[in-house]
Amino acid sequence: MGGVCLNDVQKAYQRIKSHVHLTPVVTSQFFNKLTGKELFFKGEQLQKTGSFKARGACNCVLVNKEKNPTVPGIATHSSGNHGQATAYAAGVAGLPCTVVVPRGTSEVKADAIRSYGARLVYCEPTPQARKDTCAAVAAETGYAIVHPYDDYNTIAGQGTIALELLQQVPDLDAVLVAVSGGGMISGIATVVKELRPECKVIAVEPAGKELGPCLRAGRRLWADPPRFLSTLADGCTTQQCGQLTFPILCRLVEPEHVIEPSAGMVVAAALSDQLPADLRRVGVVLCGGNVDLGRLPWPAASAPQTLVQDGGSS
């Protein structure tokens, strides 16, 4: 596959729809009055495994099995939602799964990944170590690698969010999408620009990502090696977008973007004054859940240890 088009996303939807939820769109009169806009919240925190990641993982795993029915298993690297999603998708396909996680990953998240049947392999807490360790696992086992975002099949799966959203709310002026590696916004933008080209797709990024200057320049300005951001939005810690996703963002996503430091980035963006006044009907993708409350800056004595819904992680 040399890229992603609407037809790829439609095929992905047929492939995965029996394994994922059609998530609801909800509205809030309070938020509408507060912003002077009509906001439509797409609830991917209610998706299988707690985030949108189940869509891309299911599509990628099932495509791998279609292409190679004897594939012995699935490998990936993740510190959170993508690991859970891939383990779930491997279970759907009847395949074993190994997830590479960085040392220091919270036991809450590690246990959540194991709960879907995956074996964990630990690595150093850097982007390159995650990739290298996953590649070593795949070389040793023959497992197929499911990348968290930089795979066209993953991107096509994430684009199914937009197929549903534009069926549920067909006349949107804009869609707000959080960005980490770029798989979700690439898939969403591919669908939106085919079905409703006048609708803007606006990236919402954590402070420090600096995606806006890259989009305006039309080239990657990030320094190598890749690094993780320090942000409460623990699902958006990847500073660089992918080699496959970034060109899609340059082509289809608005060069204007919204910067938010908080974990609920897209909600904060929707309520901010950074959106143009002429955007009246705005879709807001609530991308996922499973943040470890113990990692948030609570007073130590009162820190809960359970998971709640928040931004989807890679």
Side-chain angles (χ1 to χ4, degrees):
M1 192 188 299
V4 178
C5 65
L6 177 62
N7 186 52
D8 297 319
V9 180
Q10 291 169 330
K11 287 180 178 178
Y13 196 59
Q14 292 304 310
R15 186 177 291 117
I16 71 172
K17 66 180 182 179
S18 62
H19 307 297
V20 299
H21 295 312
L22 194 168
T23 54
V25 171
V26 299
T27 59
S28 167
Q29 299 243 352
F30 174 79
F31 283 159
N32 288 351
K33 288 179 181 178
L34 190 65
T35 61
K37 302 180 185 298
E38 291 182 85
L39 303 178
F40 301 88
F41 297 93
K42 178 70 167 160
E44 286 297 295
Q45 79 278 14
L46 303 175
Q47 188 51 264
K48 294 281 190 179
T49 75
S51 86
F52 76 97
K53 294 282 189 179
R55 297 173 182 268
C58 280
N59 191 53
C60 203
V61 168
L62 292 173
V63 167
N64 270 288
K65 189 168 184 181
E66 287 172 11
K67 290 182 175 179
N68 179 13
T70 62
V71 62
I74 298 296
T76 194
H77 55 88
S78 169
S79 61
N81 285 343
H82 176 71
Q84 295 179 56
T86 304
Y88 164 73
V92 165
L95 296 172
C97 179
T98 295
V99 179
V100 174
V101 298
R103 291 191 179 92
T105 296
S106 75
E107 278 306 303
V108 173
K109 289 188 173 183
D111 288 344
I113 295 171
R114 289 190 192 98
S115 74
Y116 290 100
R119 177 176 73 100
L120 296 191
V121 172
Y122 286 86
C123 70
E124 293 303 309
T126 67
Q128 193 60 49
R130 282 175 31 163
K131 290 175 62 177
D132 291 347
T133 306
C134 187
V137 168
E140 179 184 347
T141 61
Y143 285 9
I145 294 176
V146 172
H147 196 278
Y149 51 85
D150 222 14
D151 185 298
Y152 289 130
N153 293 310
T154 302
I155 294 168
Q158 317 303 29
T160 62
I161 297 168
L163 285 182
E164 292 179 0
L165 179 58
L166 292 182
Q167 284 276 333
Q168 293 161 314
V169 192
D171 53 351
L172 291 173
D173 297 321
V175 182
L176 297 180
V177 189
V179 180
S180 184
M184 175 171 60
I185 195 170
S186 294
I188 287 174
T190 296
V191 173
V192 169
K193 291 304 178 180
E194 284 278 344
L195 296 181
R196 186 168 171 79
E198 64 271 32
C199 179
K200 297 179 183 295
V201 179
I202 299 175
V204 183
E205 64 178 6
K209 190 175 183 67
E210 303 297 337
L211 175 62
C214 296
L215 292 181
R216 287 190 287 273
R219 60 190 180 90
R220 299 165 65 87
L221 301 175
W222 297 290
D224 283 320
R227 65 184 181 90
F228 290 128
L229 297 172
S230 178
T231 171
L232 284 180
D234 73 342
C236 296
T237 57
T238 301
Q239 185 191 33
Q240 295 192 14
C241 292
Q243 296 288 341
L244 302 183
T245 61
F246 183 69
I248 299 174
L249 269 61
C250 287
R251 190 172 74 252
L252 300 178
V253 173
E254 298 299 311
E256 296 78 20
H257 60 295
V258 180
I259 300 172
E260 288 294 338
S262 65
M265 293 193 306
V266 286
V267 177
L271 302 182
S272 75
D273 58 2
Q274 298 182 62
L275 297 180
D278 62 332
L279 301 180
R280 307 300 301 170
R281 294 171 61 81
V282 179
V284 182
V285 180
L286 305 177
C287 57
N290 306 327
V291 71
D292 181 1
L293 287 180
R295 295 298 180 95
L296 297 181
W298 305 97
S302 62
Q305 296 299 319
T306 54
L307 280 72
V308 294
Q309 303 306 325
D310 207 335
S313 75
S314 60

